[in-house]
Amino acid sequence: MGGSGFLGDELVGQSAADGHVVAATYLTRPGTAAGADWVPLDVRDRTAVVDLIGAFRPDVVVNAAYRQPDWVTTAVGAAHVAIATSGNGGRLVHVSSDAVFSGRAITYAEDSVPDPVTPYGAAKAAAEVAVQAITPTAVIARTSLIIGDGGSPHEDLVHALAAGGMHGVLFTDDVRCPVHVRDLAAALLELAASDRTGIHHVAGADAVSRYELGCLVAQRDGIDPVRLPYGRRADTDLPGPLDVRLDCGLTQRRLRTRLRGAREFLR
């Protein structure tokens, strides 16, 4: 589910390259990855979700579908996918987010209780509860900012800010654990093939601010970091957590896939 997004496209590509038969869904337009049967689907439509999964009867469903401002897609849609997957005997890997945390504790283990402070974080937390209740054998994988070799929203933002084509700043006090899309997709597929269940943290090894991350992207892409505007999120009225770091140590010890830090994969 959500196959046409940045993460979904990588999941489709890796799955197809591994020789799996892949069906990928999209809301508005198909993704670009080859090797998949692209199918339109709105996860808000429970009947459509049940019918589609019932028709394909997949061994594994990875749900990467979300829309930040839309509770029904992010929370209710996740429940629809869990119901349909459970009803057909499939294995579910649900992609969640560090947005389920407030940042008050800064570092969060996998057994930390969600305490979201934004509507999106609340929707993601509700989705986790629904998935755990409906499909106890599912994997719920919390991740952070997803970066690639170009093309991710944060990388596009860095280029736009450096070119002066967008107003805004990169925050020096907004800290996350960015993960490379290739590492994240590989880890999700590895978890799907395992007997693991429950919450797993799947993010990068480095905690960096959005500004430091922007500077790393700029240096990789031959852009002078001096061109990047910066500021403090604490000085704005924007809602949301500041410093959220996912402790991925437990999951990393169980994975062959190495979750690199941004200072390594953007070097």
Side-chain angles (χ1 to χ4, degrees), residues 99-114:
V100 302
F101 296 120
S102 69
R104 283 188 283 269
I106 299 181
T107 300
Y108 292 87
E110 292 170 346
D111 61 355
S112 297
V113 177

Side-chain angles (χ1 to χ4, degrees), residues 49-117:
V49 174
V50 170
D51 288 348
L52 179 64
I53 291 180
F56 278 93
R57 299 189 67 84
D59 295 324
V60 174
V61 173
V62 179
N63 182 23
Y66 77 96
R67 296 179 75 188
Q68 280 209 9
D70 187 345
W71 174 278
V72 179
T73 295
T74 304
V76 181
H80 293 164
V81 174
I83 290 168
T85 304
S86 177
N88 284 277
R91 176 156 170 75
L92 176 61
V93 176
H94 175 77
V95 181
S96 190
S97 167
D98 57 10
V100 302
F101 296 120
S102 69
R104 283 188 283 269
I106 299 181
T107 300
Y108 292 87
E110 292 170 346
D111 61 355
S112 297
V113 177
D115 59 342
V117 292

Side-chain angles (χ1 to χ4, degrees), residues 48-210:
V49 174
V50 170
D51 288 348
L52 179 64
I53 291 180
F56 278 93
R57 299 189 67 84
D59 295 324
V60 174
V61 173
V62 179
N63 182 23
Y66 77 96
R67 296 179 75 188
Q68 280 209 9
D70 187 345
W71 174 278
V72 179
T73 295
T74 304
V76 181
H80 293 164
V81 174
I83 290 168
T85 304
S86 177
N88 284 277
R91 176 156 170 75
L92 176 61
V93 176
H94 175 77
V95 181
S96 190
S97 167
D98 57 10
V100 302
F101 296 120
S102 69
R104 283 188 283 269
I106 299 181
T107 300
Y108 292 87
E110 292 170 346
D111 61 355
S112 297
V113 177
D115 59 342
V117 292
T118 64
Y120 174 63
K124 277 295 193 181
E128 290 187 2
V129 172
V131 168
Q132 287 178 304
I134 296 165
T135 317
T137 59
V139 168
I140 296 172
R142 294 182 184 135
T143 192
S144 190
L145 291 177
I146 305 174
I147 305 298
D149 299 321
S152 71
H154 192 83
E155 290 165 283
D156 290 344
L157 173 63
V158 169
H159 281 253
L161 289 172
M166 178 181 290
H167 295 293
V169 299
L170 296 173
F171 294 123
T172 58
D173 57 348
D174 190 326
V175 177
R176 300 293 186 274
C177 296
V179 64
H180 197 284
V181 67
R182 191 162 55 247
D183 298 348
L184 176 57
L188 293 174
L189 294 175
E190 186 178 339
L191 287 168
S194 75
D195 61 358
R196 304 300 308 169
T197 64
I199 301 290
H200 290 71
H201 284 180
V202 189
D206 296 335
V208 299
S209 71
R210 290 181 187 261

